Amino acid sequence: MLRSMTGYGRGKYEKDFREYSVEIKSVNNRYSDVLIKIPRNLSFLEETIKKLISNSIVRGKVEVFITFANNSDKGRNIAINSELAKKYIEEMKKLAEETNINSNIEVIDVMKMPDVLNTKLDEEDEKIITEELVQCTKEAIKSFIEMRETEGEKIKEDLEERAKFISEKIDKINSISTGLVKEYIVKLERRVNELLKPNLIDEARLAQEIVLYSDKCSVEEEITRMRSHISQFLNLLNKDTSNGKRIDFLIQEMNRETNTIGSKANNLDITNYVVDIKTELENIREQIQNIE
């Protein structure tokens, strides 16, 4: 299914006084770029979450915001950095002696020092929190993908209508181009008859000119390729995999064939149809920038 590169999803999970929230939003980007903002105490899970999201998208700049409120006993194991605490005490005593101030140091004072008192996760707590956050993230991804697919369906409908418009213009060009050679023959014979006596016309030379003109202005090959490109375009819109880059390349090929038709066809109506097609291809190209 076609997906938009823009989207938003949110997941929430609560259990045993632990609350998780994961928000995902994305905008257009040529490549896949995932940025995660996660609480420091869950930073060990950043790569796990990033891998989960990267496996779900192909293109887009994705921002992930994770919050965690822990009011349970999980992950609340207290660890005291004794060596660091002793170092603080030693330095504070030195300072007291040097400045001749009271060195009455309380334990509570030492505990307030940076990195002396820490909480840490044991293996079992880490496993529980990992499973819960992963579950919350999967819920957010599901919501995120659903929005991308909903937007993608709207883009697909628009692109199908534009492809139909182009196909109709190609049919009209084909109808006109088949009569161009006949018109040229009539005009050439009339012009020759005006300049020369009828019995002096070189039929072989006249036939040669007609063949040269026919080869020069024929757009049959370009029309055939355009129809093939349109068919491929519609097929790509209906595939399950992401095809944004392939569709973009196909539009470039369609634009090239359209330019060739415009340069070959010496007819005002065909020129106008070519302008219509090029305008529509540009609109499609802009839309393609929005799909994954």
Side-chain angles (χ1 to χ4, degrees), residues 5-10 22-28 33-35 37 53 57 59-65 140-141 143-145 147-148:
M5 272 197 283
T6 59
Y8 175 83
R10 187 182 183 192
V22 178
E23 290 185 74
I24 307 173
K25 65 178 182 179
S26 67
V27 294
N28 297 357
D33 182 17
V34 180
L35 174 66
K37 295 183 179 179
I53 294 170
I57 66 167
R59 289 201 299 167
K61 182 176 181 180
V62 181
E63 291 184 300
V64 185
F65 303 91
I141 291 173
S143 172
F144 173 68
I145 295 300
M147 182 173 179
R148 274 188 154 199

Side-chain angles (χ1 to χ4, degrees), residues 6 49 56 103 116 136 150 176-177 190 198 208 221 247 253 262 279 291:
T6 59
I49 302 303
S56 304
S103 62
V116 171
C136 183
T150 299
I176 295 172
S177 65
R190 185 185 303 124
Q208 184 181 13
E221 291 184 9
I247 295 174
E253 293 300 305
T279 300
I291 67 174

